[in-house]
Amino acid sequence: YAVPAVPPAEPLLRASYGTGGKRHELVLREGEILGFAGLVGAGRTRLARNLAGLNADPTMQIEVAGKPVPSGNVRAAMRHGIIYLTENRKHDGLFGNLSVLANATAANLRRFSRLGALNRRQERTAAGSVLRQVRLVAASLTAPVSRLSGGNQQKVIVARALICRPRILICDEPTRGVDVGAKEEIYDILLRLAAEGVGIILISSEWKELLAVSHRLLVVRDGAIVAECRPDQGEHGILMAATGVAA
């Protein structure tokens, strides 16, 4: 993949947290795709959810563009542009009995509301534009999202995140359970967002995927960041750090 170079810039996201008696730090810049690698159960999702305010970690300190973000406050995180794309769309991502449109706009209804009234026309126009960008294939926006294929359900989740206008997009296993064509389209979306200056954290159990689209990789083990790898170090370097053979 033609991963765009990261332009020189001040850090967009700075975060530090404590575990195992040590403090760990991570930095994400505008336009950077930062991969989280590790074995199953390494704590990557827990770390991602802490960054997004979905879990409370009293040791975590977060700054977005130099401004502090309170830990464990998902609304505050979203106000600062941190958007989390869940790893389990069926369990905590989709409202299966609701329409494609309702699912796409569920996280940002305030954008389409005034004095408590929802502007349906504005909602449909905005959602339709984003859903076309992600190349959704659906009979209509009013169709139940449960009738879509796995790949198209995932595109609805991605569209929901885009409607929130993220500055920092945390993608947890964004291509899990989708076909090859949908994977390629999701990669294209992430690369386009990076080119537009969005900072992206990508979690994937497929190390080849991380190596293909990331600028840098952080290896997580037991909830701690134990190594930083370059994509050109390959899977062997990740495996050694992830298993504790090398740090």
Side-chain angles (χ1 to χ4, degrees):
Y1 294 94
V3 181
V6 181
E10 290 297 312
L12 178 59
L13 170 72
R14 285 186 182 273
S16 68
Y17 66 100
T19 183
K22 298 180 180 179
R23 289 203 68 79
H24 306 274
E25 298 185 355
L26 66 90
V27 172
L28 176 71
R29 289 179 168 79
E30 290 184 4
E32 183 177 30
I33 301 177
L34 179 62
F36 278 10
L39 303 178
V40 174
R44 296 166 300 161
T45 290
R46 182 171 69 252
L47 174 56
R49 290 177 65 88
N50 289 349
L51 290 170
L54 292 162
N55 297 336
D57 179 355
T59 74
M60 179 159 282
Q61 298 175 344
I62 304 171
E63 289 185 356
V64 173
K67 297 181 180 179
V69 181
S71 176
N73 188 326
V74 66
R75 290 186 179 181
M78 291 181 70
R79 283 198 301 271
H80 283 82
I82 303 175
I83 305 298
Y84 175 74
L85 198 160
T86 180
E87 67 171 330
N88 192 331
R89 62 179 177 268
K90 291 185 178 180
H91 182 263
D92 56 8
L94 293 172
F95 304 98
N97 60 327
L98 297 183
S99 68
V100 170
L101 176 62
N103 272 273
T105 61
N108 200 10
L109 289 175
R110 183 177 296 181
R111 174 180 168 185
F112 312 110
S113 302
R114 185 176 182 183
L115 301 176
L118 183 64
N119 185 324
R120 297 285 184 183
R121 184 174 184 179
Q122 186 181 34
E123 177 194 27
R124 188 179 183 88
T125 299
S129 174
V130 174
L131 290 167
R132 284 192 294 273
Q133 290 178 35
V134 301
R135 300 177 185 174
L136 179 78
V137 178
S140 73
L141 296 185
T142 60
V145 75
S146 58
R147 295 183 182 176
L148 302 183
S149 67
N152 282 297
Q153 288 181 352
Q154 190 67 10
K155 289 179 185 179
V156 173
I157 296 290
V158 172
R160 181 192 298 168
L162 299 186
I163 287 172
C164 292
R165 298 170 175 168
R167 298 180 71 185
I168 298 162
L169 181 61
I170 303 175
C171 300
D172 198 347
E173 302 284 2
T175 63
R176 175 181 286 170
V178 305
D179 61 33
V180 173
K183 280 188 177 185
E184 296 289 339
E185 290 174 338
I186 290 171
Y187 298 153
D188 288 343
I189 292 167
L190 297 182
L191 292 170
R192 174 174 57 80
L193 290 173
E196 294 171 357
V198 176
I200 296 171
I201 293 175
L202 174 62
I203 302 172
S204 177
S205 298
E206 297 184 29
W207 293 351
K208 289 182 179 179
E209 179 173 272
L210 291 175
L211 294 169
V213 299
S214 300
H215 294 96
R216 290 186 296 129
L217 294 96
L218 298 181
V219 182
V220 179
R221 188 175 73 243
D222 297 329
I225 297 170
V226 296
E228 177 177 325
C229 298
R230 301 185 312 274
D232 60 11
Q233 291 178 258
E235 293 185 59
H236 181 67
I238 298 175
L239 178 62
M240 292 178 68
T243 56
V245 173

